[in-house]
Amino acid sequence: MAKYENLIPRFLKYVKINTRSTPNATTVPSNERLTKFAEGLVEDLKAIGLSNVHINAQSSYVYATLPANTDKQVKKLGFISHFDTADFNSVDINPQFVENYDGHSVIKLDDAGKYTLDPAVFPNLKNYQGDTLITTDGSTLLGADDKSGVAEIMASAEYLLAHPEIKHGEIEIGLGPDEEIGTGADHFDVKDFGADIAYTVDGGPLGQLEYETFNAADAQVEITGTNVHPAEAKGVMVNASQVAMDFHAMLPEHDRPENTEGREGFFHLYSMEGTVDSAHLSYIIRDHDRQIFEDRKKLFQGVADQLNKAYGSDRVAVTIKDQYYNMREVIEKDMTVVDLAKQALEELDIKPLIFPVRGGTDGSKISFMGLPTPNLFAGGENMHGRFEYVSEQTMEKATDVIIKIAQLAEAQA
Ligand SMILES: [Zn+2]
């Protein structure tokens, strides 16, 4: 029998329920599906035997507590995951199983073989020799991002309740909606949650531990032209689309997503529209380094200022909004939360994979609310689409890691 008998069945039950979040929604959570799913989680968490199970009315996060079984003063640990899925077909998810994968075969997702998992395209498949893989049938995503995290956190709590000989402090569980549309963590209630240090269990492959993210801003550029008849335009027309192209050309050419990697930041033009009369450019600005991030925003505004000077009027209006910051700024003040995870991985013979994330996690916001929250692997690969898959064995190891962190925190208190 599997060590965590409900881990995979619970995961399969959850992925079959459509929890796709709705971009640009004005409600919290972003749709009714998520509310219903949250209510189901409450029942399941209560059935496991957890305490203080409730839905936070403001955030729609589901919170639960596993009480301590030691008298020691242990830091309260939190484990967080999201149950919404990305913006991709999530109707009738039909998980497929590849048992004892040989590490080199091409896996057919649909019967016709239109979609495949091919190690030549997805080299990480080679890491899963001997594993049982759970894949899609090619028509939907899988939702391992992040129902694997949900199932792992629940399995670890269930295991600890069944094994009182494993001593641990109080453990808080937070399962939330709308991570994929970037709004879920905005409503996270650190006080209601009640942890001292926490982890999102929302990373990818085995061993991943992330505590460094981008600093992030969204930047909108509104350009106003002067539209006259082209025949009589000389010296009069200001073509907003031309000004938009000039604007983009004045940004550093190298600093684009397609030219950068590692710790290199960028300006990413993700949408543009324009006529002679007006034009609109939408960017995101990213950098791991806070100072360089601030400098990037200044440079961006500087380009607008320069163009306004050239045209002698306020034709280019820039609005920059910070989205999240590099959690490292918070976490490096006390590395306990990272050290615990690293030690847990090492004791379980899992090689820690620690790299700066070229993006954000829920933890990048939650850390700045005062709760240091790095990100642990949950196991998913190729997230957000039909090629998503996860290994059962990796999910078991992620569960092992959660339990080990709880154990170590108690032992070191
Ligand atoms: Zn995720």
Side-chain angles (χ1 to χ4, degrees):
M1 197 170 53
K3 182 174 179 191
Y4 308 112
E5 56 175 324
N6 293 320
L7 172 65
I8 303 302
R10 202 175 273 131
F11 172 70
L12 295 173
K13 171 181 147 184
Y14 290 160
V15 296
K16 286 175 189 164
I17 304 171
N18 177 6
T19 56
R20 179 178 180 167
S21 43
T22 308
N24 305 316
T26 50
T27 56
V28 181
S30 66
N31 61 55
E32 279 293 314
R33 287 192 291 273
L34 298 168
T35 310
K36 261 191 105 175
F37 189 85
E39 287 164 359
L41 280 177
V42 166
E43 293 315 308
D44 291 355
L45 290 162
K46 281 183 181 164
I48 288 176
L50 291 165
S51 311
N52 190 26
V53 183
H54 65 285
I55 299 180
N56 179 289
Q58 197 214 346
S59 67
S60 283
Y61 259 83
V62 177
Y63 295 134
T65 299
L66 176 63
N69 63 2
T70 173
D71 295 332
K72 282 195 193 174
Q73 288 296 313
V74 186
K75 274 198 169 120
K76 289 183 191 169
L77 297 176
F79 294 95
I80 300 166
S81 172
H82 66 92
F83 53 78
D84 66 312
T85 58
D87 206 18
F88 193 85
N89 185 20
S90 308
V91 177
D92 293 331
I93 293 174
N94 183 19
Q96 307 290 303
F97 298 86
V98 182
E99 273 172 42
N100 195 12
Y101 179 57
D102 61 15
H104 56 81
S105 295
V106 175
I107 299 167
K108 263 193 208 175
L109 295 176
D110 54 314
D111 288 337
K114 185 175 175 202
Y115 300 110
T116 60
L117 285 177
D118 182 345
V121 181
F122 303 113
N124 278 5
L125 282 164
K126 293 175 186 142
N127 302 331
Y128 294 100
Q129 195 180 355
D131 281 18
T132 299
L133 301 183
I134 306 176
T135 75
T136 73
D137 67 2
S139 65
T140 64
L141 52 62
L142 178 61
D145 178 13
D146 188 22
K147 285 165 181 160
S148 54
V150 172
E152 288 152 9
I153 292 169
M154 290 171 75
S156 61
E158 199 169 30
Y159 188 86
L160 287 172
L161 276 167
H163 292 82
E165 72 279 9
I166 303 176
K167 297 295 168 204
H168 59 83
E170 187 171 309
I171 294 172
E172 318 297 342
I173 293 173
L175 310 175
D178 293 336
E179 188 271 353
E180 299 293 358
I181 56 171
T183 58
D186 292 332
H187 311 282
F188 188 83
D189 189 336
V190 165
K191 229 177 136 191
D192 189 3
F193 188 53
D196 299 316
I197 53 176
Y199 304 87
T200 50
V201 186
D202 191 19
L206 182 70
Q208 236 181 35
L209 168 60
E210 301 167 327
Y211 66 95
E212 184 166 4
T213 58
F214 271 144
N215 296 289
D218 181 87
Q220 301 295 324
V221 186
E222 190 65 55
I223 298 163
T224 311
T226 300
N227 191 2
V228 294
H229 195 289
E232 293 151 9
K234 187 165 183 182
V236 182
M237 179 189 281
V238 176
N239 187 338
S241 292
Q242 181 59 52
V243 177
M245 289 190 284
D246 292 348
F247 184 97
H248 189 65
M250 285 164 80
L251 294 172
E253 196 184 325
H254 174 268
D255 296 5
R256 298 175 188 161
E258 62 270 38
N259 298 333
T260 52
E261 62 183 351
R263 279 201 170 76
E264 298 171 311
F266 56 72
F267 302 92
H268 172 47
L269 173 64
Y270 67 88
S271 149
M272 62 186 295
E273 50 190 35
T275 61
V276 178
D277 192 51
S278 68
H280 194 102
L281 303 174
S282 301
Y283 287 86
I284 53 171
I285 301 174
R286 298 288 188 262
D287 210 288
H288 289 105
D289 185 283
R290 184 67 176 262
Q291 187 54 52
I292 299 175
F293 173 66
E294 297 301 331
D295 292 345
R296 283 189 187 282
K297 290 189 287 180
K298 270 188 210 137
L299 186 149
F300 198 86
Q301 180 61 54
V303 169
D305 295 346
Q306 235 176 302
L307 285 167
N308 281 330
K309 219 167 169 190
Y311 289 104
S313 57
D314 286 344
R315 295 203 173 266
V316 183
V318 163
T319 313
I320 300 176
K321 274 202 190 102
D322 286 0
Q323 296 170 298
Y324 57 85
Y325 302 105
N326 186 347
M327 62 162 90
R328 181 179 174 159
E329 224 177 287
V330 175
I331 289 173
E332 67 187 359
K333 288 176 191 155
D334 177 2
M335 289 290 278
T336 310
V337 67
V338 173
D339 293 340
L340 269 175
K342 238 199 281 188
Q343 205 183 332
L345 292 170
E346 280 159 1
E347 290 201 8
L348 291 164
D349 279 325
I350 301 169
K351 190 172 175 246
L353 297 178
I354 304 176
F355 297 104
V357 192
R358 290 179 65 76
T361 65
D362 273 347
S364 9
K365 283 177 181 163
I366 296 169
S367 294
F368 280 87
M369 295 172 183
L371 177 62
T373 307
N375 190 31
L376 283 171
F377 73 96
E381 294 263 12
N382 300 340
M383 292 163 182
H384 297 187
R386 64 178 97 247
F387 302 107
E388 193 182 4
Y389 67 94
V390 68
S391 143
E392 287 190 10
Q393 285 74 10
T394 303
M395 287 183 64
E396 280 166 17
K397 284 181 186 153
T399 310
D400 291 341
V401 170
I402 296 170
I403 293 167
K404 182 61 85 179
I405 289 173
Q407 236 177 323
L408 287 171
E410 198 273 345
Q412 292 169 9

